[in-house]
Amino acid sequence: MLFTKWGKEVDKNNPLPEYPRPQFVRDSFINLNGVWDFTFSNSEIIPEKDSYKEKICVPFSPESPLSLVNRQRCSEDKYLFYRRCFELPNGFNRGRVFVNFGAVDQIAHVYVNGRFVGEHHGGYTAFSFEITDCVNDGENEIVVKAQDYTEDNGYSRGKQKTKRGGIWYTAQSGIWQTVWIESTPKEYLKSVRITPDYDGEKVHFEYNGTDNVEVLIYDGEELIADTTDHTVMIPDFKSWSPESPFLYKVTFKACGEKIKSYFGMRKFSLGIDSNGVKRLFLNNKPYFHNGLLDQGYYPDGLLTPPSNEAMKFDVEYVKSAGFNMLRKHIKVEPLLWYHYCDVNGILVWQDMINGGGNYGAEISILPFIGITLDDTDYKTFKRTDKKARELYYQEMDEIVDELYNSPCVAIWVLFNEGWGQFDSQQAYNMMKKLDSTRIIDTASGWHDLGKSDVISKHIYFTPIKVKSGERAYVLSEFGGLGLKIKNHTFNNKMFGYKVFFSKESLTKAYSRLYKKTIIPQIKDGLSATVYTQLTDVEDELNGLLTYDREVEKIDINRIRSINERMKLYD
């Protein structure tokens, strides 16, 4: 069994204790992570207190080694039940009380003191229920009933698969992000949408819950604005970029409480460079996105980072290696991960989560012979379940709402390699309505029906040949060079698009790929690259780091020297 250094040090009674929402910080916070009563059941009826047969360390899913349960996922006809008790400190309840979940895979029903308080469908997005009328001053009980069907119900599942292997990973279920309680006044500021206007030298605040808000903006420790206006001018502002990730601090005063946040002044757009080539632009200048595919898996926590420091390590390694971007691949991370990207200046391409039925070979094979399929044919793309298609749009809305205020998020990726793809042209239009400030990659890899801001190619086996055109050309997956490091693998299997047997041969191949193929084509129109990948994941041994993050397969100085040449000058 493989553990990270952070997983070896997890305190089961206090895992992931940090405040989980750095983009909107209230001063009330009770973390419910830790040891809960737990059981599997064939019945949907809540078990009696003495019927919980096991203990589980929340927020780790029962399939993960760090959960204390560490067993294969329950079959689709079973339920997962979680139970724990909590007390509210004196003075905690200022009017309303909420319980918050970072994510529960795939369906959650929540009960407090025996009363049903709400349900949520979708395993990758946050949700919250008000429990004001359910709690009391003494001991309170919370019960979570979860169901997970993985690929059997068409719901979003990402890279999880019941029969894992190759590019598909261990399926997990239930609670997998932080659970916590907060309190607000009776009338309260529910949320704020922050939109920087780079060209207008101003920032706009859209409030939800109350409009009676005073906003204070700080440049470091210097107060530069104190106003009730929704739009605030910031003349001579400091830009946010990977080279200079400056963040303005914000305090919202509303309904008797103070809420802290931040924003960055930056602009994502498309434009034509001085050579007439369509490019990705950052802050009105051509900007090359040089990044890595990042699955966000861990051998000991699966989708759940073993600690806050583990998330921070990944981001800081990417920065120190000279990359400026990560493609978060078919997963939504805890908000602290995006915070570290904001602070360190790492652009993020955020994938939506794929769902649908079991994908046929035609989805992945036909593009190699030049055939693009019509994704309004739900049967071919295994998207016949209307409820699951509707849930995709619900999750899209929730993901945008959750991540909108993160300056780092640059591109939304709607579908990947045709997996569960449907109505992509409609999905593009809906995303533009949700967020017109970012770039959209509608069909990453193939089955591009023309409604996308970029040409997005995955090239592992055929020669890479860039063709500039009306859209910016991005190489959204390539590389995948594999190397097995003894004692640092998930098992004895090995998957890689090209396999090597020494660090020296891997390093030479990596350097040759960039120097001979990638860098020369930047001038021809190549606008972004996503190398596969940051770390090994289960059978996939094509990471720059091993799965446990213990071994660098290529010397970071070699990587950094290559990345210094991965720039655009206009």
Side-chain angles (χ1 to χ4, degrees):
M1 190 175 295
L2 191 65
F3 281 83
T4 63
K5 62 182 179 181
W6 306 281
K8 294 174 184 177
E9 299 174 353
V10 166
D11 178 357
K12 68 179 182 180
N13 294 307
N14 193 32
L16 294 158
E18 295 82 8
Y19 188 90
R21 193 182 58 203
Q23 295 85 350
F24 199 70
V25 180
R26 283 197 154 89
D27 60 6
S28 63
F29 172 57
I30 300 175
N31 194 321
L32 294 186
N33 292 344
V35 178
W36 292 45
D37 297 328
F38 178 76
T39 193
F40 292 108
S41 176
N42 285 312
S43 171
E44 65 177 11
I45 298 173
I46 297 176
E48 297 295 327
K49 294 179 181 179
D50 58 359
S51 297
Y52 288 84
K53 300 175 182 178
E54 302 182 66
K55 299 290 185 181
I56 189 168
C57 181
V58 170
F60 301 105
S61 65
E63 297 82 1
S64 70
L66 290 176
S67 69
L68 307 179
V69 179
N70 192 22
R71 66 164 63 177
Q72 294 182 352
R73 108 178 159 90
C74 64
S75 59
E76 60 272 11
D77 60 346
K78 290 187 178 181
Y79 299 86
L80 295 76
F81 283 94
Y82 299 76
R83 174 187 176 274
R84 72 160 289 171
C85 294
F86 66 92
E87 293 185 6
L88 301 180
N90 290 333
F92 181 83
N93 186 353
R94 297 172 293 173
R96 297 179 186 268
V97 180
F98 296 86
V99 60
N100 302 280
F101 294 82
V104 179
D105 195 10
Q106 292 171 304
I107 304 169
H109 295 79
V110 181
Y111 306 82
V112 174
N113 291 332
R115 295 174 59 179
F116 174 68
V117 296
E119 67 179 281
H120 181 265
H121 290 239
Y124 287 80
T125 52
F127 58 95
S128 177
F129 300 127
E130 184 172 1
I131 59 173
T132 308
D133 296 336
C134 303
V135 294
N136 53 55
D137 293 335
E139 186 175 79
N140 297 278
E141 177 196 63
I142 182 170
V143 171
V144 178
K145 177 177 69 176
Q147 296 166 267
D148 179 28
Y149 299 88
T150 310
E151 65 264 35
D152 292 336
N153 64 350
Y155 278 20
S156 298
R157 63 181 181 275
K159 297 294 286 289
Q160 301 180 63
K161 197 169 186 177
T162 306
K163 295 181 180 179
R164 55 152 303 281
I167 66 169
W168 306 101
Y169 313 142
T170 300
Q172 64 170 68
S173 53
I175 298 171
W176 68 274
Q177 286 194 33
T178 291
V179 185
W180 50 291
I181 290 174
E182 67 179 343
S183 177
T184 72
K186 287 186 177 180
E187 182 182 357
Y188 69 105
L189 181 60
K190 295 180 181 178
S191 63
V192 179
R193 176 167 281 205
I194 307 174
T195 305
D197 180 349
Y198 192 89
D199 296 332
E201 296 185 296
K202 57 191 175 184
V203 60
H204 181 72
F205 302 98
E206 181 182 348
Y207 302 117
N208 178 23
T210 178
D211 272 339
N212 186 18
V213 181
E214 179 184 0
V215 58
L216 291 77
I217 302 175
Y218 295 86
D219 178 342
E221 300 302 318
E222 179 186 359
L223 179 65
I224 63 171
D226 183 351
T227 181
T228 57
D229 293 340
H230 286 225
T231 300
V232 183
M233 298 298 299
I234 309 180
D236 301 318
F237 63 81
K238 298 175 181 177
S239 298
W240 183 95
S241 70
E243 291 70 32
S244 180
F246 182 82
L247 297 170
Y248 287 94
K249 294 186 290 186
V250 185
T251 298
F252 301 107
K253 292 183 177 180
C255 308
E257 65 175 348
K258 295 180 180 179
I259 301 167
K260 295 181 179 180
S261 186
Y262 61 85
F263 65 90
M265 293 296 293
R266 51 90 182 105
K267 176 185 177 183
F268 301 117
S269 60
L270 297 161
I272 306 294
D273 70 11
S274 60
N275 296 314
V277 177
K278 196 67 171 285
R279 297 287 189 186
L280 299 174
F281 273 47
L282 173 63
N283 300 337
N284 293 326
K285 295 180 180 179
Y287 193 86
F288 193 88
H289 293 211
N290 173 25
L292 300 169
L293 197 71
D294 182 8
Q295 315 271 6
Y297 267 77
Y298 299 84
D300 41 18
L302 299 182
L303 284 177
T304 309
S307 77
N308 188 54
E309 288 300 313
M311 287 190 285
K312 187 177 180 182
F313 171 86
D314 281 2
V315 174
E316 291 183 347
Y317 169 81
V318 169
K319 185 70 174 184
S320 65
F323 296 98
N324 60 31
M325 176 264 283
L326 285 168
R327 179 182 170 194
K328 182 49 62 176
H329 197 36
I330 321 182
K331 179 193 178 187
V332 180
E333 290 284 2
L335 286 172
L336 277 161
W337 183 87
Y338 300 92
H339 175 68
Y340 290 125
C341 290
D342 293 336
V343 169
N344 285 282
I346 296 294
L347 302 174
V348 173
W349 294 17
Q350 177 62 52
D351 288 13
M352 298 299 107
I353 313 302
N354 57 285
N358 288 310
Y359 315 124
E362 67 274 12
I363 297 298
S364 298
I365 293 175
L366 291 179
F368 287 101
I369 57 174
I371 296 177
T372 296
L373 298 175
D374 179 3
D375 62 19
T376 63
D377 179 356
Y378 301 149
K379 186 176 180 180
T380 297
F381 281 85
K382 306 300 187 290
R383 272 293 197 176
T384 55
D385 190 312
K386 182 180 179 181
K387 184 176 180 181
R389 295 197 305 270
E390 291 172 346
L391 181 61
Y392 172 87
Y393 288 121
Q394 174 190 314
E395 288 182 314
M396 178 193 290
D397 195 345
E398 292 174 349
I399 290 170
V400 172
D401 188 58
E402 194 169 333
L403 302 183
Y404 186 88
N405 290 345
S406 295
C408 63
V409 178
I411 292 181
W412 300 116
V413 182
L414 304 189
F415 297 105
N416 181 77
E417 296 187 352
W419 301 340
Q421 184 173 321
F422 70 100
D423 296 337
S424 62
Q425 294 175 318
Q426 177 181 326
Y428 174 91
N429 292 334
M430 293 188 70
M431 179 58 87
K432 277 297 183 186
K433 289 181 180 179
L434 291 173
D435 184 5
S436 62
T437 71
R438 292 177 169 98
I439 309 301
I440 298 176
D441 179 356
T442 305
S444 184
W446 40 81
H447 300 301
D448 179 354
L449 299 181
K451 198 87 174 207
S452 179
D453 292 334
V454 297
I455 298 170
S456 180
K457 297 293 186 180
H458 295 183
I459 303 176
Y460 289 105
F461 305 110
T462 57
I464 298 170
K465 187 64 177 177
V466 174
K467 295 181 181 179
S468 60
E470 295 182 355
R471 292 183 279 164
Y473 186 105
V474 303
L475 189 55
S476 47
E477 286 188 32
F478 80 107
L481 308 182
L483 172 65
K484 184 176 183 179
I485 302 295
K486 188 177 179 180
N487 299 324
H488 294 277
T489 60
F490 179 76
N491 54 29
N492 290 322
K493 296 181 180 180
M494 181 173 184
F495 177 89
Y497 294 104
K498 191 172 183 180
V499 174
F500 297 86
F501 298 96
S502 70
K503 290 185 179 181
E504 292 76 15
S505 61
L506 173 64
T507 299
K508 288 179 181 178
Y510 180 90
S511 300
R512 184 168 56 249
L513 175 60
Y514 273 90
K515 293 177 180 179
K516 299 294 185 181
T517 302
I518 300 302
I519 294 173
Q521 296 194 78
I522 294 176
K523 67 179 187 306
D524 298 329
L526 184 59
S527 293
T529 51
V530 181
Y531 179 84
T532 303
Q533 59 186 326
L534 173 56
T535 73
D536 294 346
V537 185
E538 300 197 354
D539 296 0
E540 287 191 59
L541 303 184
N542 48 20
L544 296 180
L545 299 172
T546 54
Y547 198 13
D548 56 8
R549 280 75 167 169
E550 288 291 334
V551 180
E552 295 178 359
K553 298 186 187 180
I554 302 175
D555 180 72
I556 194 170
N557 293 316
R558 295 287 296 273
I559 297 173
R560 190 183 297 117
S561 67
I562 292 171
N563 285 336
E564 287 174 356
R565 299 172 59 188
M566 298 283 288
K567 293 180 173 67
L568 271 173
Y569 299 97
D570 191 46

